[in-house]
Amino acid sequence: MVFRFAVLVRRLLYLLRLLHSARAGIPVLAIGNLTVGGSGKTPLAIHAAELLQAKGWSPAIVSRGYGGSVRSPRGVSLASDPAEVGDEPVLMARRSGCPVWVGADRAAVIAALRHEHPDCDVVILDDGLQHYALRRDLEIAVVDARAFGNGCMLPAGPLREPRTRLWSVDAVVAHGTHAVKGYAMRLVGDEAHRATDARERRKLQSFAGERVHAVAGIGDPNRFFLQLARAGIKVVPHPFPDHHPYRADDLEFGDGAPVLMTEKDAVKCKRFARPQHWVLPVRAVPEPAFDDWLLRRLGELGHRPKAA
């Protein structure tokens, strides 16, 4: 109840403009969730970036860089250290093909980003639903199969904000759940690549019947394990905490069996990857109506892509 009250007061202070909320000067699309832990919001952010680029926009992704040590604005590249900028930003830089920047003050990050990338005309705010210090033009809440847990706020439950917060967002994306009404989304991944050489690939089905160590340090590791099991793989599960800082011995299991891990985990294991380590990338596939809605709403804001 104390946490719920604090959340309510904080949001009210921003709504009454008693706490400052900065404008970015370009459209801001905030993607987040109500619970702690991952829900598929990062794959959705990558999907949104790819969609907007295909339609002529010049998007950028801004993140806090959770799990990293950087606080001041910094651009993320494929060579960035996840220990400094966070694991998800490195993944997004690798997959999205657009600028990715991190920092604690997202308004300052966007200012620095636009100075370096003046062509940027829309910002995707990853995990930014609760960052009220920056105003947003569109809000998308992602709800996964875990839904709202026991329905309690932190620390008694997983909720960062009450369920009623969904009433004020612009869209809800439901990933593997019918607990809420919204646009349906799937996470799809059917091809793994070797961690030491991404050019070497295997269909996930080729591991069927094989004993495999499955490593996942994400919000819901069981989601990854079930995906492998559905492919007929004999899974030996190894769950780790979300954003776990991996060491080489974390992936030593005393045998030569293949090790399958998520792409988010792989960016932190690159330095000590071995040939038996395999990575399974996934992509977000929301229903087509979501893409239509997003493009229409950006158009309604009075903005158009520069290429249009």
Side-chain angles (χ1 to χ4, degrees), residues 21 33 36-37 81 89 108 120 135 153 163 182 206 214 267 284:
S21 186
N33 61 0
V36 294
D81 185 353
C120 174
R135 297 190 194 182
M153 302 281 288
R163 292 180 57 173
S206 71
V267 300

Side-chain angles (χ1 to χ4, degrees), residues 231-250:
I233 299 171
K234 297 178 181 178
V235 177
V236 181
H238 301 277
F240 288 87
D242 197 12
H243 303 285
H244 178 68
Y246 286 95
R247 300 177 302 176
D249 57 4
D250 288 330

